[in-house]
């Protein structure tokens, strides 16, 4: 048994007794038992205190070997004595009890003489009938051996579940964020609920105190209720994930869970332990059957994610079977392999989320590439469209310029030709060369004025209206006097607001066209021309006592080029032109605002 630094004690006898005594010397009526021990099999419905006595002997002769005690579990709280010496005790030995059933402990024993008589350890246990009260496996050996054993059991009983809880909480929180942003992801919503229920279930495996619950009974009821809710949420998650419609199964599962919760919280005290065990193992059976069904349904699906879930559930089934066979001692394997199933599911969910993220990034990249192609295609189409619009605009501008040029030629040069023809016709004798030269110079001046109008924005504005209309007045006064026609001019002395060149040119052409029409068609004897202005508008009034004409008929016939020209020019400046004519009176009124429309 003994080697250089190794020693394994012999457990001679293990006894137990029901007693609420505070010290081991007060305990009597011991009965022999075997560890691990669940006293509910021996003392049914007992909730309270029991004592355990371990008689042992160390056969090691080396005096430098320190011995240690390993206790696998105490359910729920306890205190350990070496003979009469207290080695350790839980913080709370009364309700709400401390929880030592999930905390493998290592205690160094006091020095003892090798090969001495039988030594005794006493363990005082406070337990509850619903929580498998009693004591787990026990071992006495050298410190190094017990330390290695305690670290191994610490990993299996606590660290593994702590890692599980951290991963489940992290992944559940991540899935909750996704579900809050995309409510249509109902499978993720059920996974979040399953994660919350699983964390509540794991709390029983990690908590070291019964508080904040009032006693161990309520703690166990909450623990089993969390497992029932986890069963409902996890099964629903798997069905939603593989998109398998199972309304009858869903309804039956919901009914079972409601019945289980009612039984857990409403069953009589003497039936509580049986009810809790019944519904707990019922949920284990449901999860096992669901794993088989989801494996079959998921594998039949052609989706990669569903098949991955099927493989994960198959691995969970395999771990569960191996754990069962290890528990039944068919194989020599750790019996807690089933604890790795939740880690497998966590890894599966992380893999699924990574796959979905990768697919989303690939779709975004494809969309970005397609969007870039669409943008380039749109740019080409827009360039072609702008080119077409530019060509159309150029053509429209050319057409407008031709129209303007035609109007100017008609109103300006045409009027000048008519005046010259009338002068020649009214001459009593042949016109000499000097007179003809003067007429030609006037025609050239009118033509130059038409050409210069395209730079009208840069033209100089006459200082006063009188200066502006002086050349026109001089021409028509001579022509009208030769035809026995009297022309009176009433012109404003100054500008209230300086006009633009476009105003002056437009009104100049209107006066030319109007007077030309009077001379050609009216047979008038008296013509009155009045021009005045204010801060906002320019006003023109031309009135004669001629024969008049039908204004409406002239507009409908469309043959009056001069009238149309005048209207077009005035409308270009947002002005108003009104014409009234009857026998003995023809009146033309024009008003032009001094603010040009930039459009």
């Amino acid at each position: 048994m003994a080697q250089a630094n190794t020693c394994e004690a012999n457990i001679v006898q293990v006894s137990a007794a029901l007693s609420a005594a505070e010290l081991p010397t007060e305990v009597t009526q011991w009965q022999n038992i075997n560890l691990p021990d669940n006293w509910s099999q021996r003392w049914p419905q007992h909730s309270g205190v029991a004592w355990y006595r371990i008689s042992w002997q160390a056969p090691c002769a080396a005096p430098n070997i320190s011995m240690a005690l390993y206790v696998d579990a105490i359910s729920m709280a306890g205190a350990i004595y070496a003979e009469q010496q207290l080695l350790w005790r839980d913080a709370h030995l009364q309700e709400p009890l401390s929880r030592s059933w999930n905390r493998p402990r290592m205690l160094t024993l006091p020095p003892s003489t090798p090969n001495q008589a039988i030594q005794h350890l006493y363990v005082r246990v406070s337990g509850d009938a619903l929580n498998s009260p009693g004591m787990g496996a026990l071992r006495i050996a050298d410190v190094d051996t017990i330390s290695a054993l305690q670290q191994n059991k610490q990993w299996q009983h606590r660290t593994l579940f702590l890692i599980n809880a951290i991963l489940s909480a992290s992944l559940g929180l991540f899935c909750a964020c996704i579900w809050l942003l995309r409510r249509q992801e109902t499978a993720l919503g059920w996974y979040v609920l399953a994660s919350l229920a699983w964390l509540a279930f794991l709390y029983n495996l990690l908590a070291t105190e019964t508080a904040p619950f009032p006693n161990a009974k309520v703690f166990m009821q909450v623990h089993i209720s969390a497992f029932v809710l986890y069963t409902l949420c996890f099964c629903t998650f798997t069905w939603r994930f593989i998109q398998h419609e199972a309304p009858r199964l869903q309804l039956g599962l919901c009914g079972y869970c409601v019945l289980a919760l009612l039984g857990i919280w409403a069953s009589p005290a003497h039936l509580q332990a049986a009810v809790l065990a019944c519904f707990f193992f019922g949920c284990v059976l449901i999860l096992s059957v669901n794993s088989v069904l989801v494996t079959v349904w998921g594998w039949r699906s052609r989706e990669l994610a569903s098949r991955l879930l099927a493989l994960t559930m198959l691995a969970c089934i395999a771990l569960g079977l191996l754990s069962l066979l290890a528990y039944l001692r068919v194989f020599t394997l750790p019996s807690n392999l089933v604890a790795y199933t939740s880690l497998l599911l966590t890894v599966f969910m992380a893999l699924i989320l990574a796959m979905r993220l990768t697919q989303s990034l690939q779709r975004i990249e494809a969309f970005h590439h397609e969007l870039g192609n669409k943008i380039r295609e749109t740019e080409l189409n827009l360039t072609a469209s702008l080119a077409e619009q530019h060509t159309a605009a150029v053509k429209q501008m050319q057409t407008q310029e031709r129209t303007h040029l035609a109007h100017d030629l008609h109103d300006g040069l045409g009027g000048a030709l008519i005046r010259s023809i009338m002068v020649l016709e009214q001459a009593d004798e042949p016109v000499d060369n000097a007179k003809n030269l003067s007429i030609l110079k006037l025609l050239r001046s009118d033509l130059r004025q038409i050409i210069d109008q395209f730079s009208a924005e840069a033209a100089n504005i006459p200082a006063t209206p009188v200066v502006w209309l002086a050349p026109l007045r001089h021409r028509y006064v001579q022509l009208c006097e030769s035809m026995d026609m009297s022309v009176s001019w009433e012109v404003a002395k100054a500008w209230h607001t300086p006009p633009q060149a476009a105003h002056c040119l437009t009104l100049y052409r209107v006066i030319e066209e109007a007077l030309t029409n009077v001379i050609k068609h009216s047979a008038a004897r008296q013509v009155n021309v009045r021009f005045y202005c204010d801060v906002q508008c320019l006003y023109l009034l031309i009135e004669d006592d001629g024969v008049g004409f039908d204004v409406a008929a002239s507009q409908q016939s469309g043959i009056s080029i001069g009238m149309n020209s005048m209207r077009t020019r005035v409308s270009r400046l947002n002005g108003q032109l009104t014409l009234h004519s009857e026998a003995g009176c023809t009146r033309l009124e024009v008003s032009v605002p001094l603010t040009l429309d930039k459009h």
Side-chain angles (χ1 to χ4, degrees), residues 15 48 567:
S15 305
R567 290 186 184 278

Side-chain angles (χ1 to χ4, degrees), residues 232 236 239 246-258:
L232 171 63
T236 306
W239 299 341
R248 292 184 180 179
L249 286 177
Q250 183 76 56
L251 183 60
L253 181 59
C254 290
Y256 173 82
C257 292
V258 171

Side-chain angles (χ1 to χ4, degrees), residues 381-457:
N381 294 336
L382 182 60
T383 302
S385 177
L386 291 175
E388 293 177 358
Q389 292 180 4
H390 177 71
T391 302
V394 170
K395 291 181 179 179
Q396 183 179 7
M397 185 179 298
Q398 291 174 346
T399 303
Q400 291 177 351
E401 292 301 328
R402 293 190 185 100
T403 303
H404 295 167
L405 181 60
H407 288 166
D408 289 336
L409 289 173
H410 175 270
D411 298 342
L413 188 59
L417 287 172
I418 292 174
R419 292 194 303 270
S420 301
I421 292 171
M422 297 183 69
V423 168
L424 295 176
E425 288 179 346
Q426 297 295 329
D428 296 333
E429 55 185 21
V431 179
D432 56 13
N433 291 335
K435 187 67 172 177
N436 288 330
L437 182 60
S438 175
I439 293 173
L440 292 176
K441 287 182 178 180
L442 287 174
L443 294 175
R444 184 189 64 183
S445 177
D446 287 339
L447 182 61
R448 180 174 296 169
Q449 189 177 22
I450 292 172
I451 296 172
D452 291 342
Q453 73 172 305
F454 295 105
S455 59
E457 296 294 335

Side-chain angles (χ1 to χ4, degrees), residues 233-250:
C233 297
F234 181 76
C235 291
T236 306
F237 155 70
T238 56
W239 299 341
R240 296 292 177 88
F241 187 86
I242 63 177
Q243 300 178 358
H244 182 80
E245 297 294 334
R248 292 184 180 179
L249 286 177
Q250 183 76 56

Side-chain angles (χ1 to χ4, degrees), residues 1-2 7 10 56-63 112-119:
M1 296 288 296
C7 182
N10 294 322
W56 65 284
Q57 183 180 23
C60 307
S112 60
T113 302
N115 298 315
Q116 72 174 10
I118 301 299
Q119 302 180 66

Side-chain angles (χ1 to χ4, degrees), residues 290-304:
N290 179 71
S291 298
V292 175
L293 293 177
V294 171
T295 300
V296 175
W297 293 338
W299 191 255
R300 288 178 180 176
S301 174
R302 295 185 177 181
E303 292 188 359
L304 177 60

